[in-house]
Amino acid sequence: QAVIELLEEYPQPALACLMNILSTHDTPRILNRLGADFIPPRAYQADNYLSDAQREKGLRLLKKAALLQFSLPGIPCIFYGDEAGMEGYGDPYCRGTFPWGREDQTLLHYYRRLGALRGQYRPDFAGSCVFLDYEGGRLIFDRGERIRLAMNFSPAAFEVEGEPLLAEGARAGGLEPGGYGWFLKK
C-alpha cells in the first residue's frame, strides 16, 4: 500500500529517478538483514557470520528483494558486493573488500539476468507501474505493456498471465506458493 501511495503522490519524472537501494555503506548488508534472526550487538559484529541455514534463507529472500528492486519505478542501485553474496553487519563490517574469486556465482548470474532483462525491456520498465493485486499473499503488478511481476506469499498456487522470463516456482500458467518472477504478457 505504501508503494502505491508513493506512485500516486510523486510525478513521473521524480519516480524515474528514485534510487532503489537494499544496502548501503551505513547499514548491515541486505543478506545479513534478511538471513539473520537478529542483528548482534556491535561488540559481536566483527566476527559474526551467518550460519549455513541463515545464509540460505537470506539468499532466498534476497532474490525476491532484488526482483522488486529491479521491478519498481526508479533505478536499481546495488551496493558493491550484494550481487556477490557479501555479508557484513553494521559499519564498518559492511564495507569489506569485494570477494574477487569467491563470489556466489548463482547469485551473480541472477543479478546479471535481472540487468539484462531490464535492459532488453527498457521501454516497459520506463513505462507505467500498475498494481493489479496485493492482497491475500499475492503481489502482481505490470510494468509497461509487456512485463508482469508476480510474487506468491500465499499457501495456494494462482494463475499468472504470460510466459516466465525469469521465475522461480512457475508452472504452466501459474505460480506455486513461494514462487516469484517476471512474466512476458501475451
Side-chain angles (χ1 to χ4, degrees):
Q1 185 65 36
V3 172
I4 293 171
E5 290 174 15
L6 287 172
L7 293 175
E8 291 172 350
E9 296 295 324
Y10 284 83
Q12 182 59 38
L15 292 172
C17 296
L18 291 175
M19 293 175 63
N20 299 339
I21 302 171
L22 298 176
S23 300
T24 73
H25 63 282
D26 288 327
T27 64
R29 291 264 176 193
I30 189 63
L31 191 58
N32 291 73
R33 278 289 203 194
L34 296 173
D37 301 320
F38 65 95
I39 302 297
R42 185 163 184 75
Y44 300 100
Q45 290 181 3
D47 295 318
N48 197 320
Y49 299 94
L50 297 173
S51 68
D52 289 344
Q54 290 172 325
R55 185 169 174 82
E56 182 60 34
K57 173 187 168 191
L59 288 168
R60 190 175 59 253
L61 293 173
L62 176 54
K63 288 175 81 174
K64 292 178 183 180
L67 184 72
L68 278 173
Q69 179 185 29
F70 277 72
S71 299
L72 291 168
I75 303 160
C77 298
I78 303 166
F79 181 45
Y80 79 94
D82 282 350
E83 77 283 14
M86 279 183 69
E87 292 184 29
Y89 288 101
D91 184 18
Y93 311 114
C94 58
R95 297 183 188 209
T97 58
F98 191 87
W100 294 111
R102 295 174 283 117
E103 303 94 338
D104 181 313
Q105 292 299 319
T106 302
L107 187 61
L108 196 56
H109 180 274
Y110 182 74
Y111 268 90
R112 285 180 178 149
R113 187 84 174 116
L114 287 171
L117 286 170
R118 187 174 160 106
Q120 183 178 347
Y121 294 97
R122 183 179 313 271
D124 292 291
F125 285 105
S128 63
C129 181
V130 178
F131 280 79
L132 305 171
D133 192 353
Y134 53 93
E135 300 202 17
R138 293 181 307 269
L139 174 62
I140 306 171
F141 62 87
D142 287 347
R143 290 305 314 268
E145 298 295 321
R146 298 179 292 176
I147 303 297
R148 173 158 291 165
L149 172 128
M151 292 188 161
N152 188 354
F153 300 99
S154 77
F158 63 81
E159 299 300 312
V160 179
E161 176 192 341
E163 294 297 320
L165 283 174
L166 177 65
E168 292 281 332
R171 59 168 176 75
L175 200 56
E176 297 294 332
Y180 56 93
W182 282 337
F183 296 81
L184 185 60
K185 295 176 8 184
K186 298 176 184 178

